[in-house]
Amino acid sequence: TSPYHRQRLEFFHSIGVRAIMVADIFTDTPGKGAIAFCHQQPHRWTDEEIAFARTVASVVALLIATNRGLETFAALDLVSEGIYVEGGDGGVQYANRAAREFAQGTGPVEKLDFPRPPAALGGSRDFHEIVFAGRDLEIERARLDNGGVVTRINDVTERNTAVFERRRLRARVQQSEKMQAIGQLAGGVAHDFNNILGAIRGFAGFLVQDLSPRSAERGFADRIVAACDRGKDLVEQILAFARAKTV
C-alpha cells in the first residue's frame, strides 16, 4: 500500500513479491540508493527487522563512502602538487605521493620531515615561498573546521630558473643595445675628431714646408705633426671599436 512503490506493484506481482521493505542508503538524498528486503507472502515487518534493514543500509553506505575515499586518495596521488593534512595536534594524518617525495624519506607519514614555513599558521590561510632541499617551493596552507591544517606544496624551481634566465637574457640584450649606441656615438665622434686632426695636420704641414729646418718654430711644427699622427692612430682604434659594436 506504500505510495512510494505504487508504480512498481505490477512488477513486484510478476516476480512473486507481496511484501517489501526498503531502507535508504544515503539518508541525505532519499531514493538515490536503497537496500530492499522482500517476502512472497503478505508480511508485517517487525521493529527488529526494520532496525536490521537500517543497519545493513548504513554498512553499505559506509562501504561506498570508503570506496569513494580510496578513489579520492588514489586521484590525489596522481597530481604533481604535494598535499598533506595535519590534525589539531600538529601530527600528519595524510600525505599524497608528491608530498612524500618532497619529504625525501620513507616510513610512516607522521615521522617524515615535510616542507613547512618557519611560522605557524596564524589565520585561516597563508602563502609562503621557501627553499627546501635546494628546491624553490610555494607553500599554501588553510585551516580546517576541526582545527587541522591542509598544506599544498608547489615546486616552482623550473619556473623561477626560466624567469631568471629571461631576465639575464633581457639584461644582455639591453647591454648589447647600449654598447651598440655607444659604438655609433664613438664612430661619429671619431669622424669629427679625424676631420679636426686633418685640418690641424694640414696647416702644420705647411709650416714644416715653409720654416727653416733649424728654427724653433720648425720644431714646434714637427711636434704638431707628430701629435696629429698619434691622434690619427687613436681615431683608428675608436673607429675599430665603433665598427665592432655596431655590427
Side-chain angles (χ1 to χ4, degrees):
T1 60
S2 168
Y4 182 77
H5 300 294
R6 186 167 295 156
Q7 297 177 352
R8 304 182 180 89
L9 289 180
E10 281 190 29
F11 171 73
F12 292 152
H13 280 293
S14 70
I15 60 174
V17 172
R18 301 300 304 279
I20 185 169
M21 175 175 57
V22 176
D24 278 308
I25 294 175
F26 307 105
T27 55
D28 54 336
T29 51
K32 186 176 181 181
I35 295 290
F37 298 86
C38 304
H39 271 288
Q40 290 183 327
Q41 299 298 328
H43 180 76
R44 182 178 296 276
W45 303 97
T46 65
D47 291 341
E48 289 79 9
E49 289 171 329
I50 294 173
F52 176 75
R54 287 174 174 166
T55 301
V56 172
S58 298
V59 170
V60 173
L62 180 61
L63 290 174
I64 292 175
T66 301
N67 259 351
R68 289 178 176 173
L70 292 175
E71 291 172 359
T72 301
F73 290 145
L76 289 176
D77 268 344
L78 298 178
V79 301
S80 60
E81 293 184 338
I83 299 172
Y84 67 90
V85 180
E86 299 172 278
D89 59 354
V92 177
Q93 299 175 341
Y94 166 78
N96 70 346
R97 174 191 53 79
R100 294 193 299 271
E101 289 178 355
F102 283 126
Q104 298 180 343
T106 57
V109 293
E110 59 269 14
K111 294 184 178 180
L112 297 181
D113 182 22
F114 291 97
R116 287 184 173 87
L121 177 60
S124 60
R125 60 175 60 242
D126 64 3
F127 179 84
H128 298 267
E129 293 183 353
I130 68 170
V131 177
F132 184 84
R135 308 292 294 179
D136 296 336
L137 304 179
E138 288 180 347
I139 306 290
E140 184 177 3
R141 300 182 295 184
R143 181 80 63 187
L144 300 175
D145 293 338
N146 61 0
V149 176
V150 59
T151 302
R152 179 187 65 85
I153 310 169
N154 187 27
D155 189 343
V156 294
T157 304
E158 294 182 2
R159 185 198 70 185
N160 288 355
T161 301
V163 170
F164 174 78
E165 183 65 16
R166 283 198 299 271
R167 289 175 179 171
R168 188 181 68 84
L169 291 176
R170 189 181 297 116
R172 288 186 61 182
V173 169
Q174 292 174 347
Q175 182 67 16
S176 176
E177 292 173 348
K178 185 186 300 182
M179 294 302 295
Q180 183 175 356
I182 293 174
Q184 292 173 346
L185 176 63
V189 171
H191 281 296
D192 291 342
F193 190 48
N194 195 45
N195 293 335
I196 295 172
L197 286 177
I200 295 173
R201 194 185 190 290
F203 287 111
F206 293 151
L207 293 175
V208 169
Q209 294 175 4
D210 295 341
L211 294 172
S212 171
R214 296 184 179 182
S215 64
E217 290 80 2
R218 172 64 182 272
F220 296 149
D222 287 337
R223 291 171 65 181
I224 293 173
V225 170
C228 288
D229 288 339
R230 290 197 301 273
K232 182 180 179 182
D233 293 337
L234 179 60
V235 168
E236 288 298 326
Q237 294 178 23
I238 295 175
L239 287 175
F241 166 82
R243 283 191 294 270
K245 296 307 173 186
T246 300
V247 171

